[in-house]
Amino acid sequence: VFFASPFSNHIASMKASMSDVEVSRSRGGFWRMARTITNINQPAKRLNLPAVNYLQLILPDFSLIICGYLICRYTKLDRTVWGQVDSLVYFFLFPVLLFQSITRYPLALDAASQFMMAGVSLAICGIALAYSVPYWPFVKKYIDPRDHAGSAQIGFRFNSFIALAVSQKLLGDNGLAYMAILIGVSVPIFNIAAVWPMAKHGQQHFGRELIRNPLIWGTTAGLLANIAGFTVPDWMAPSVTRVGQAGLVLGLMAAGAGMQLSALPRAKVLAASMLSVRHFAMPVVAFIMAKMWGLDSTQTTTLLLFSALPTASTCYVLAARMGYNGPYVSSLVTASTAMAVLSLSFALSFLANAI
C-alpha cells in the first residue's frame, strides 16, 4: 500500500487533468491543441510556480525500483523469473507504452515551431555530450568503451511519466501540451541514438538492429499515428492504458531486480560523467537553448523541466537485451532517479529564476 498509493494518486490527477483538454482536427491530417497552447508570441513573463515536493514526485518510481531489488534478492522470485519479465517488458509492454505516450497527446507542431526546434537542439546537444565522454581530458583513460556504449543512453533519455505528471502540476494544460511536443519529437531521436553506440561497438548492423528493435517500432508507429491524426478508440483506450501502466511498473521493478550496486564503483568515473550530463549539463544547455530560441516563460519552464528529468527505466531493458552490462545500467537508472530531486530543484528553482 505504501508503494502503490503515491503512484496511483499521480495517475488519478493526470487523468483528471486530461479530461479538460479539447482537441480538434485541422486540415491536412495534423492535430492541433485547442485552447491549451495560447499566447505563444507574447513577451516572456516570469512564472510563479507552485510549491512542489520533488521527493514526493520521484518516490513512486524509486520505491518500485527498490521493491524489485528486494524481491529478487530475498524471495524465491530470483533472476530466472525476472529474465522472463524483461522479455515481456521489452517485446510487448514497453512498445505499447511508447505508442500510447506519443499518440495520447496530439502534437501542435504548427503552433510551436520554435519550441520544437529548441527541443530538437537540446536533444542533439545531449546526445553529443553523452557520446563525447570517452574523449574528455583526464577522463578517457578511465572509460571502458563497452560500458560507455551500453550506458551512453543514460545521459539523454528521460522518464516520460514523471515528465507528464510534473508538467501538469506546475503548468497546467499549457505545460502539458508543450511536454507532449517534446515527447513526440525527442523519443524517436533518443531511441535511435541509444541503439547506435551499442550496435557499433558490438559490430552489429545498425539498420538491422533498428528494424529488430521493438522500442523503435513502437516509437515510429506512435509518431506516424499522431501525425496522421489517429487516436486510440475509446473502447480500447482503458486496455491500452493498463498495458502501458503495467509496462511502467514492471520495467521499474525489473530494473531494480537487475541492479547490482557493486557495479557502480567498478566504473565510477563513467557513472559520474553520465549522471553529470543528465542532471547538470542538460539543464544548462536547456537554459541556453531557451535564450537562443526566444522562448516564452511557459515554454522555457517546460524545456528546463524536460532537461532535468530522471533517465528512462527502459535503458536497463535495452542494454540487457542487446547483450551489455544490464546490472551496471540498472544501477545508473536508480542513481538518476534519486538525483532527479536535485536536478529538478536546480533547473526549476535556480535556472528558471535567472530567465
Side-chain angles (χ1 to χ4, degrees):
V1 173
F2 173 78
F3 290 140
S5 57
F7 180 75
S8 60
N9 286 341
H10 285 308
I11 293 175
S13 63
M14 287 174 59
K15 286 182 177 178
S17 66
M18 290 299 95
S19 62
D20 294 332
V21 177
E22 300 175 2
V23 180
S24 61
R25 188 180 302 227
S26 61
R27 181 172 299 178
F30 287 88
W31 287 75
R32 179 176 302 167
M33 276 285 186
R35 186 172 60 82
T36 57
I37 297 184
T38 57
N39 302 326
I40 287 183
N41 297 318
Q42 292 185 3
K45 298 179 181 178
R46 180 172 296 182
L47 289 179
N48 293 321
L49 299 177
V52 177
N53 187 335
Y54 298 116
L55 178 60
Q56 184 179 7
L57 289 170
I58 300 301
L59 180 62
D61 284 7
F62 190 77
S63 299
L64 288 169
I65 293 174
I66 299 303
C67 185
Y69 176 82
L70 296 175
I71 290 174
C72 183
R73 295 298 181 279
Y74 299 107
T75 72
K76 293 183 179 180
L77 301 177
D78 55 13
R79 283 303 309 165
T80 58
V81 174
W82 289 99
Q84 300 302 314
V85 173
D86 289 345
S87 298
L88 175 64
V89 169
Y90 182 73
F91 288 106
F92 177 62
L93 298 181
F94 267 151
V96 174
L97 175 63
L98 289 170
F99 181 86
Q100 182 216 17
S101 297
I102 296 175
T103 58
R104 185 175 180 182
Y105 308 106
L107 303 182
L109 303 181
D110 54 342
S113 57
Q114 283 189 306
F115 177 71
M116 181 179 67
M117 292 307 300
V120 172
S121 301
L122 173 63
I124 293 173
C125 289
I127 293 167
L129 285 170
Y131 282 2
S132 69
V133 167
Y135 305 100
W136 292 0
F138 311 110
V139 171
K140 56 185 178 181
K141 63 181 178 180
Y142 300 105
I143 303 298
D144 179 81
R146 183 172 180 82
D147 284 344
H148 173 260
S151 60
Q153 56 182 323
I154 295 291
F156 50 81
R157 296 182 69 191
F158 65 98
N159 187 313
S160 60
F161 180 81
I162 294 179
L164 296 169
V166 180
S167 62
Q168 184 275 325
K169 188 175 184 66
L170 287 178
L171 303 169
D173 288 345
N174 269 7
L176 200 59
Y178 284 127
M179 187 60 71
I181 293 175
L182 290 177
I183 291 174
V185 301
S186 64
V187 167
I189 299 173
F190 285 157
N191 282 350
I192 293 172
V195 172
W196 185 77
M198 288 186 276
K200 179 182 177 182
H201 187 272
Q203 297 182 344
Q204 301 165 336
H205 191 275
F206 178 55
R208 186 183 305 115
E209 288 301 315
L210 288 182
I211 293 173
R212 294 168 52 186
N213 191 309
L215 305 184
I216 299 296
W217 277 102
T219 300
T220 304
L223 184 60
L224 293 176
N226 200 318
I227 292 175
F230 172 82
T231 56
V232 178
D234 292 340
W235 60 270
M236 188 185 297
S239 298
V240 174
T241 300
R242 288 166 185 165
V243 170
Q245 291 172 0
L248 178 67
V249 173
L250 288 178
L252 289 167
M253 293 183 70
M259 181 174 58
Q260 291 181 5
L261 297 178
S262 59
L264 281 178
R266 185 180 63 83
K268 55 182 177 293
V269 174
L270 176 60
S273 300
M274 285 303 166
L275 293 173
S276 297
V277 170
R278 172 67 266 182
H279 296 285
F280 175 73
M282 287 284 280
V284 172
V285 172
F287 178 83
I288 296 172
M289 291 301 164
K291 289 285 191 180
M292 182 182 300
W293 289 96
L295 304 185
D296 65 28
S297 56
T298 302
Q299 294 171 335
T300 298
T301 304
T302 306
L303 192 68
L304 288 172
L305 166 61
F306 177 76
S307 70
L309 293 166
T311 197
S313 60
T314 52
C315 292
Y316 159 73
V317 179
L318 181 60
R321 295 302 305 183
M322 293 191 68
Y324 285 80
N325 191 344
Y328 178 69
V329 175
S330 175
S331 300
L332 290 178
V333 170
T334 306
S336 175
T337 304
M339 288 184 64
V341 176
L342 300 177
S343 61
L344 286 170
S345 299
F346 170 65
L348 299 180
S349 298
F350 178 73
L351 292 179
N353 289 331
I355 298 296

